[in-house]
Amino acid sequence: FRKGGFRLRYGRARNTGFASAGINPATMVVLGEFLAPGTQLKMERPGKAAGISSVDSIEGPTVKLYNGSVVRIDAHDAALKHKNDIDEILDLGEILVNYGDFLGNNHPLIPSPYVHEWWAQDLEERAMSLHEPVPSVDVNELTASAALDLSQHFKIPLHPKFTYLWHDITLKQLTHLAEFVSQTGQISQGDSTVEAAHDCNAPFDLILPCDPKTKELLEALLVPHAVTDDKMIIKDAAAFIKSLGLTDSLGKEWFSLKSPRIKSTIDAVTLLSEIEIRKRAPSRIRGRMGRPEKSHAREMKPPPHVLFPIGNTGGRDRSLRRAAGSTKAAAESASEIDAHYLGIIDVDVGVRR
């Protein structure tokens, strides 16, 4: 589907459920608060529509600012900060849709993106098979060099944090990007700028001259970068360089992507980097706002007193009065009621991680 649309993310948050979907609150701000909690979004799949909720644990939008810089906004405060500086929305971010919507609407499952939770399970499974302790990984502190080391050591795909949308460009564009980076790129580490060797263990930046064609490719890949003094600066660029099949000194040692093993850009970057790279956005979902004036109040019959975890003791209408008169003793022995347990009931609650 069209690039830039909502990227499908399977899952369910505490405030989402059947016939509802979640988006990052930064997406709401970037869209001029066009979408708000409770808005009915007419979706092409898996069902007819969904109520929108705010979920801050999924990826937010990627935007281009007026100065040319590309940033991904995951926080509501950051969205308010950049709200008036946005020139173009490159990507709307993820939309959280639960499996039950696909099951309830009898819709076949569509490909899932490669996400951190999936990567963590791959890491755990591989570490256990090698009889090694499972590394503790903080995604916020994870660097590109560390992600590459983990992938190479445990033979697992590259972490999604450093996986770009390679499937959104062609093989010809990939070749152009690799040649441009190899011929014009510079490595910046600390206060020094070098063109050759550098400390591979420390994060380093890649500096490229501004080129309209190359910048368009970086935007299509959703590679965050800053633009200053007619230069494009990519922070912590080790994984980006590795995915292009370049050496640490930006040397290009391959000449052609014509191979029976290469059928797509994902195949190419996997072969060049010698690390499996998965798709970040294999499925996108289109949608539009529903008709607010047509919506009606959704009421339970009979109407409940309150949505409160009182189990089944309140009956169908969730009556607090009935629940207050229930006791453990009454359930255990109908002939005797212990006043000590009056109004105390057993309920099941979820554990928030």
Side-chain angles (χ1 to χ4, degrees):
F1 298 128
R2 185 176 179 180
K3 303 175 184 177
F6 284 115
R7 292 180 278 120
L8 173 67
R9 174 79 175 262
Y10 285 107
R12 186 175 63 185
R14 294 181 296 116
N15 56 344
T16 65
F18 186 72
S20 65
I23 61 175
N24 192 289
T27 302
M28 299 180 179
V29 176
V30 167
L31 292 175
E33 299 180 357
F34 179 75
L35 292 177
T39 301
Q40 185 190 39
L41 186 68
K42 304 290 287 185
M43 301 168 56
E44 64 177 350
R45 61 178 61 187
K48 292 182 178 180
I52 293 299
S53 298
S54 175
V55 180
D56 61 1
S57 58
I58 59 179
E59 292 183 5
T62 301
V63 300
K64 180 172 70 172
L65 307 180
Y66 285 117
N67 63 2
S69 299
V70 173
V71 296
R72 197 183 84 192
I73 307 176
D74 291 330
H76 182 265
D77 293 341
L80 293 176
K81 177 182 177 182
H82 294 294
K83 182 178 180 180
N84 298 324
D85 301 326
I86 297 176
D87 179 38
E88 181 182 355
I89 301 176
L90 302 177
D91 181 79
L92 288 176
E94 295 178 327
I95 183 168
L96 190 69
V97 182
N98 71 89
Y99 162 74
D101 278 345
F102 284 85
L103 179 64
N105 289 282
N106 198 27
H107 192 291
L109 291 177
I110 55 180
S112 169
Y114 193 62
V115 295
H116 170 74
E117 292 80 7
W118 190 349
W119 179 88
Q121 292 186 20
D122 286 342
L123 175 63
E124 180 180 1
E125 180 181 358
R126 186 59 180 168
M128 293 178 63
S129 67
L130 296 176
H131 304 288
E132 296 185 13
V134 180
S136 177
V137 178
D138 184 354
V139 65
N140 295 321
E141 302 295 333
L142 183 65
T143 63
S145 299
L148 290 173
D149 291 340
L150 288 171
S151 295
Q152 292 171 340
H153 177 72
F154 290 102
K155 306 300 181 183
I156 59 175
L158 184 63
H159 192 278
K161 181 179 180 180
F162 303 101
T163 300
Y164 305 106
L165 276 62
W166 298 107
H167 48 80
D168 280 349
I169 66 174
T170 64
L171 292 174
K172 184 177 180 180
Q173 291 172 327
L174 175 64
T175 302
H176 167 79
L177 184 59
E179 292 177 348
F180 184 85
V181 172
S182 176
Q183 296 172 4
T184 65
Q186 291 181 319
I187 298 297
S188 175
Q189 193 171 50
D191 298 329
S192 60
T193 300
V194 296
E195 298 182 0
H198 55 84
D199 183 6
C200 298
N201 295 324
F204 59 88
D205 303 337
L206 174 64
I207 302 178
L208 300 171
C210 280
D211 174 70
K213 185 176 181 179
T214 302
K215 179 163 177 47
E216 183 179 348
L217 293 178
L218 294 179
E219 293 174 0
L221 293 172
L222 299 188
V223 178
H225 59 274
V227 177
T228 176
D229 298 330
D230 295 330
K231 294 182 179 180
M232 300 181 293
I233 304 175
I234 302 176
K235 299 288 186 180
D236 200 5
F240 176 73
I241 295 173
K242 184 71 173 178
S243 300
L244 292 176
L246 305 181
T247 63
D248 293 338
S249 57
L250 302 183
K252 180 174 174 289
E253 299 179 345
W254 55 273
F255 303 98
S256 175
L257 295 178
K258 295 182 179 180
S259 169
R261 299 172 57 186
I262 298 178
K263 299 180 180 180
S264 66
T265 312
I266 291 293
D267 295 337
V269 293
T270 296
L271 183 63
L272 294 175
S273 63
E274 299 180 343
I275 296 175
E276 184 179 0
I277 295 179
R278 299 281 185 87
K279 292 183 178 181
R280 274 282 305 281
S283 304
R284 290 185 170 95
I285 294 181
R286 294 173 291 190
R288 59 180 176 85
M289 185 176 177
R291 291 172 55 189
E293 71 278 3
K294 189 180 179 181
S295 62
H296 298 280
R298 299 181 180 180
E299 300 178 351
M300 297 178 63
K301 296 181 180 180
H305 283 194
V306 64
L307 292 178
F308 193 78
I310 58 176
N312 296 323
T313 57
R316 291 180 57 192
D317 55 353
R318 303 296 192 269
S319 172
L320 291 179
R321 183 185 298 274
R322 184 180 303 175
S326 65
T327 64
K328 286 185 178 180
E332 297 171 358
S333 176
S335 62
E336 182 181 356
I337 296 180
D338 190 348
H340 178 71
Y341 291 107
L342 188 63
I344 298 178
I345 60 178
D346 291 329
V347 297
D348 294 328
V349 296
V351 178
R352 184 182 180 188
R353 296 181 179 179

